[in-house]
Amino acid sequence: MKIITTISEMYDHSDRLREQGDRIGFVPTMGFLHEGHLSLMRKAREENHALIVSIFINPTQFGPDEDYDSYPKDLESDASLCREVGCDVLFTPGADEMYPQGTLTTVSVAGLTETLCGASRPGHFDGVTTVVSKLFNIVRPHMVYFGLKDYQQYRVISRMVQDLNMNIRVIGLPTVREEDGLAMSSRNAHLYNDERAGALTLSRSLDAAREMIREGIRDPRAIEKKVAGIIESESTNRIDYVSVVNADDLTPLSSIERRALLAMAVFLGDTRLIDNTVLEISGD
Ligand code: PAF
């Protein structure tokens, strides 16, 4: 596995791969890799001639009071996991390489970014879409892989790729969970024991919502209320938002007709976790 830290070397490498007709699969990450990232990497490995993974903790997607400085890092262990999965290139640029003169250009997707995490983290998605566009321009992948735990991010990036005719296939893969249901996240490393226990209410509340759908409940507010009650039953938890929205355009829903997204963000101490499920009404 080659480790590349400069944009010019990454351009040259991708040029060579494209010239020899290789399909490039790309998994952009912020590192501290876990099974969720590895599932994306394995799929990308299977479906492409070359697998490129990036690790870059992107400062522009963190708000001033967020965890940029304390975001977990372990480049050595990340590199050995990448090697095990059969990654061809690990691209790890520094912030000076990615933003040598800051940036005057922002890629911004309207609408989809105004709700859920976009509402509580102003500017976050502009940071994400701008850095992801830069990474796509540098790596020039054919296929890119994102986890559906970040459902809104997946929708926003898919729309950006479509609107800007990027000629890249965006693949979303299911959330990977610990045995007890906790969605895998690099930020789980920050949880204290009681917070880790409190965090289990997130996946439990998603189960409860799916059960309500099976029982025939179609009122988004009733589901949000039940879910919020389960999360708030643990004193470690503080809800940022719990929302049932249209699963395609993320707009508010007054009734669940076919498919809806139940999404949540919850603070456990200083750690903010997100989780979601798509609620589907079966046709029978
Ligand atoms: O999901 C992430 O880890 C980040 O938002 C991404 C897509 C790597 C952009 O920095």
Side-chain angles (χ1 to χ4, degrees):
M1 182 181 77
K2 214 172 156 54
I3 297 188
I4 295 181
T5 56
T6 66
I7 292 169
S8 60
E9 199 187 340
M10 192 64 249
Y11 281 152
D12 291 347
H13 194 87
S14 288
D15 269 353
R16 277 198 299 279
L17 291 171
R18 281 188 167 254
E19 272 161 26
Q20 67 198 36
D22 283 357
R23 189 168 56 240
I24 302 175
F26 178 41
V27 181
T29 80
M30 298 205 299
F32 212 68
L33 303 177
H34 51 68
E35 202 45 50
H37 298 111
L38 299 185
S39 72
L40 305 178
M41 289 158 60
R42 286 191 196 104
K43 190 72 177 166
R45 176 67 285 166
E46 243 173 73
E47 295 184 342
N48 298 279
H49 302 106
L51 167 58
I52 300 179
V53 173
S54 67
I55 296 182
F56 176 61
I57 305 178
N58 172 40
T60 69
Q61 68 188 75
F62 290 81
D65 299 324
E66 294 184 351
D67 55 349
Y68 175 65
D69 290 328
S70 60
Y71 197 83
K73 310 168 185 63
D74 190 344
L75 190 53
E76 214 174 295
S77 141
D78 286 349
S80 74
L81 289 169
C82 287
R83 258 184 220 103
E84 277 167 34
V85 173
C87 173
D88 298 293
V89 175
L90 176 57
F91 178 51
T92 59
D96 292 350
E97 182 71 8
M98 287 296 279
Y99 301 106
Q101 36 184 4
T103 186
L104 298 180
T105 306
T106 299
V107 178
S108 190
V109 176
L112 288 174
T113 58
E114 280 150 30
T115 56
L116 309 177
C117 287
S120 41
R121 301 183 69 190
H124 166 70
F125 284 113
D126 284 359
V128 170
T129 42
T130 303
V131 79
V132 167
S133 302
K134 284 161 74 70
L135 289 166
F136 287 177
N137 285 335
I138 297 164
V139 172
R140 267 160 309 140
H142 298 86
M143 315 261 286
V144 293
Y145 297 79
F146 290 90
L148 291 176
K149 183 175 75 68
D150 296 283
Y151 185 96
Q152 188 175 16
Q153 170 172 277
Y154 164 73
R155 296 289 307 153
V156 167
I157 289 169
S158 302
R159 185 58 195 253
M160 172 189 81
V161 163
Q162 202 184 348
D163 284 352
L164 298 182
N165 305 97
M166 286 179 161
N167 198 20
I168 293 171
R169 266 190 70 199
V170 183
I171 313 287
L173 294 179
T175 303
V176 178
R177 296 181 181 279
E178 305 280 358
E179 258 177 37
D180 58 10
L182 181 66
M184 294 211 181
S185 163
S186 306
R187 290 188 167 99
N188 291 349
H190 287 317
L191 296 173
Y192 294 104
N193 284 345
D194 57 335
E195 294 167 349
R196 174 78 180 60
L200 295 182
T201 55
L202 275 70
S203 58
R204 278 215 326 264
S205 73
L206 298 178
D207 292 340
R210 284 188 289 263
E211 183 55 32
M212 288 174 85
I213 292 290
R214 279 193 290 276
E215 287 165 2
I217 295 165
R218 301 290 179 260
D219 175 6
R221 303 297 86 74
I223 293 176
E224 288 165 357
K225 191 165 173 223
K226 172 82 176 180
V227 163
I230 295 172
I231 294 169
E232 281 169 343
S233 68
E234 289 286 343
S235 62
T236 45
N237 303 353
R238 182 167 58 84
I239 292 175
D240 180 2
Y241 68 80
V242 170
S243 296
V244 175
V245 294
N246 181 304
D248 298 318
D249 61 14
L250 312 184
T251 53
L253 279 181
S254 52
S255 169
I256 302 173
E257 307 291 345
R258 207 176 53 83
R259 276 176 90 238
L261 173 74
L262 163 61
M264 59 185 62
V266 178
F267 284 98
L268 297 106
D270 293 334
T271 307
R272 182 177 177 279
L273 298 184
I274 56 173
D275 207 342
N276 71 76
T277 187
V278 174
L279 302 169
E280 310 239 24
I281 314 253
S282 58
D284 39 86

